[in-house]
Amino acid sequence: MPAEWEPHAATWIAWPHFRGDWPGKFEPIPWVYVEIVRHLVGSERVEILVNDGAAETKVRKTLDRAGLPCVNVRFHHQPTDRVWTRDSGCIFTKSSGADGRLEALTFRFTAWAKYSNYAKDAAVAPLMARVAKARAVRPMYGKQRIVLEGGAIDVNGVGTLLTTEECLLSKVQERNPGFLREDYERLFADYFGANNIIWLGDGIVGDDTHGHVDDLARFVAADTVVTMVEPDFADENHSALAENLGRLRSARDQNGKKLQIVELPMPRPVLFERHRLPASYANFYIANRVVLVPIFADPNDRIVLNTLAQLFPTREIVPIYSRDFIWGFGAMHCMTQQQPE
């Protein structure tokens, strides 16, 4: 699986329509999408999933109102339940053969083993594979089709993969009953070309996916990981993030070398009806020329933006206000899926 910073042919997104994901906050959400599309189309094609022709017409009018012509944009009529394409969509990889053919891993999607309405989202991955003209691959475990969401993993593109025990090994929201650590490691080797697996522990509080790594730690180069930290001992995220930091410091890359670890501070808690939402700067998205970064009107916004600017000197760091957007339990990385060149 190529690293996210390697060249993209396109970015896939699904246009928001389910108001229940943003209770009382839906109105600004399409405009967040407009800004994201605005910053992507200058460097790569944007593939947008919409429910039908009427929805496409509405989105085109919204983009037009924002002064954004539909150049380098393609629409696909594919009904969705939610917009989290990172998880419902396929995961694009390259074959190990000389031709490096584009492949699409179409894992089974079960809405994070939490929601019952996911039949429409389950059809997204096959459509993406067809449109991209990629060879569809259905990873299996015996006769069982494997469940894996894209937000559960992160790769450096040369053999090392990050994931969490909370997401894949705990019995809460269990994806693949009977699957063991060694089963996942064989899966990652066979389908992602990753023979070196770094297991982190628990995810952040409020994560609807039960521990996705893209809210915790991300590769930004083959030898460098950014990871979230919470210095406040009284904060409910402190312990888990401190343990994950320790694991990363002890980890090695595919060549047995220590990783460079860059710490990013957590934003202050964002609450909805007294429940903490999964606000995290780690949920950024690396596109060809830009890095889209969720911000939360927080003092740590500037620290994180400056840090990422140093890590990505050839890309524009684009802040996307996400204090409303995070009510849907996801941000820039959750809503996107890259298609490699």
Side-chain angles (χ1 to χ4, degrees), residues 145-168:
R145 189 176 172 201
I146 298 171
V147 175
L148 182 75
E149 301 104 25
I153 61 166
D154 198 70
V155 301
N156 71 349
V158 288
T160 298
L161 180 148
L162 284 169
T163 191
T164 73
E165 293 171 348
E166 180 185 1
C167 181
L168 298 186

Side-chain angles (χ1 to χ4, degrees), residues 1-3 6-9 91-105 132-135 137 155 157 189-194 338-341:
M1 179 181 177
E6 297 184 55
H8 300 177
I91 300 175
F92 290 106
T93 60
K94 293 290 192 75
S95 70
S96 57
D99 61 348
R101 180 180 177 182
L102 187 66
E103 298 184 334
L105 304 182
K133 295 181 172 58
R135 185 173 75 92
V137 178
V155 301
D190 291 346
Y191 291 96
F192 293 92
Q338 69 272 12
Q339 179 184 322
E341 284 188 351

Side-chain angles (χ1 to χ4, degrees), residues 180-328:
L180 304 175
R181 185 186 300 258
E182 52 265 33
D183 296 315
Y184 279 110
E185 292 185 345
R186 185 164 57 249
L187 166 73
F188 297 145
D190 291 346
Y191 291 96
F192 293 92
N195 291 291
N196 183 52
I197 313 304
I198 299 173
W199 289 90
L200 301 183
D202 290 341
I204 61 172
V205 175
D207 182 0
D208 202 37
T209 67
H210 201 72
H212 271 190
V213 78
D214 64 358
D215 276 331
L216 287 178
R218 303 282 307 285
F219 279 108
V220 293
D223 63 351
T224 307
V225 175
V226 296
T227 190
M228 303 308 301
V229 295
E230 177 49 73
D232 183 357
F233 283 80
D235 190 283
E236 52 193 339
N237 276 318
H238 171 79
S239 179
L241 294 181
E243 182 187 347
N244 287 329
L245 177 61
R247 292 193 187 198
L248 286 169
R249 286 173 173 167
S250 300
R252 298 293 185 272
D253 69 8
Q254 66 282 346
N255 298 316
K257 296 181 180 181
K258 280 191 171 184
L259 297 164
Q260 296 185 51
I261 309 300
V262 178
E263 299 176 21
L264 297 180
M266 287 286 286
R268 292 170 298 184
V270 179
L271 304 177
F272 170 63
E273 295 182 349
R274 300 183 181 178
H275 294 288
R276 188 164 184 168
L277 299 175
S280 169
Y281 298 112
N283 210 265
F284 56 82
Y285 177 61
I286 309 166
N288 282 343
R289 296 180 189 169
V290 300
V291 181
L292 304 177
V293 185
I295 60 168
F296 305 97
D298 187 279
N300 285 334
D301 290 353
R302 178 45 54 191
I303 294 173
V304 170
L305 294 172
N306 289 346
T307 301
L308 291 175
Q310 293 174 355
L311 293 169
F312 294 102
T314 64
R315 287 174 166 88
E316 180 186 1
I317 307 303
V318 178
I320 303 292
Y321 178 72
S322 300
R323 199 169 180 89
D324 294 330
F325 194 73
I326 200 64
W327 283 41

